[in-house]
Amino acid sequence: MDMLIGEYRNTLDEKGRILFPAKLRSVLQQNELIITQGLDHCLMLFTTEEWVSLNDKIMSAASPFNDQKRLVMRRFVAPAQKLEFDRSGRLSIPQNLREYASLKGESVILGLNKYMELWDSECYEKYLSETEESFHSAAESMSSILF
């Protein structure tokens, strides 16, 4: 599978559907994605293969007797749902996930190589603004990467 990359802007319609970018759909080998709550109040979208791989790793390290591991299972694994593209290339985002990510109209889809994020546009712009200074420090921490 090719990499899932790029930043795309689209509008969530009144029924909670979003037209998925053709460039990203063309990389996918299936007509479905797994969606779940992400960090920073965005949604994370995975191919089935990537989700199975990540979920297996999480569950092999999980324990119902550990507070932090239970929290990850409840907040990341449990809300996950399989979504299928409709004939128009749209995904219907479940109401509970739309509420979690404050999705209400203009949205941003980010391709992050092995997964994607779906953000409310205003929330994403606020996140970028609030993390500008941290970004410079984070980038400097990766100075050992040469290209």
Side-chain angles (χ1 to χ4, degrees), residues 1-8 20 23-25 27-29 33 44-51 109-117:
M1 181 176 78
D2 290 333
M3 291 186 295
L4 299 163
I5 56 174
E7 180 178 315
Y8 308 88
F20 214 71
K23 285 185 180 181
L24 289 177
R25 276 196 330 267
V27 173
L28 301 173
Q29 297 167 355
L33 290 173
M44 296 176 79
L45 299 109
F46 299 87
T47 64
T48 303
E49 295 81 14
E50 285 296 334
W51 174 256
I109 299 170
L110 301 174
L112 296 163
N113 194 7
K114 291 188 171 196
Y115 73 99
M116 295 157 284
E117 290 181 346

Side-chain angles (χ1 to χ4, degrees), residues 9-10 15 54 56 82 89 110 117 119 129 132:
R9 296 186 180 260
N10 262 328
K15 294 181 181 179
L54 178 59
D56 286 350
K82 185 185 295 187
L110 301 174
E117 290 181 346
W119 289 78
S129 176
E132 182 66 26

Side-chain angles (χ1 to χ4, degrees), residues 49-103:
E49 295 81 14
E50 285 296 334
W51 174 256
V52 168
S53 175
L54 178 59
N55 188 55
D56 286 350
K57 291 172 187 171
I58 291 170
M59 296 312 292
S60 69
S63 168
F65 305 109
N66 178 289
D67 286 343
Q68 290 184 330
K69 293 177 182 187
R70 257 192 338 268
L71 182 60
V72 170
M73 290 187 300
R74 289 176 180 156
R75 298 287 299 268
F76 186 72
V77 176
Q81 296 186 45
K82 185 185 295 187
L83 303 181
E84 292 186 12
F85 291 102
D86 67 12
R87 288 186 213 131
S88 300
R90 296 176 298 195
L91 288 176
S92 184
I93 310 300
Q95 178 68 31
N96 65 317
L97 294 176
R98 289 195 315 259
E99 289 172 5
Y100 170 80
S102 302
L103 294 175

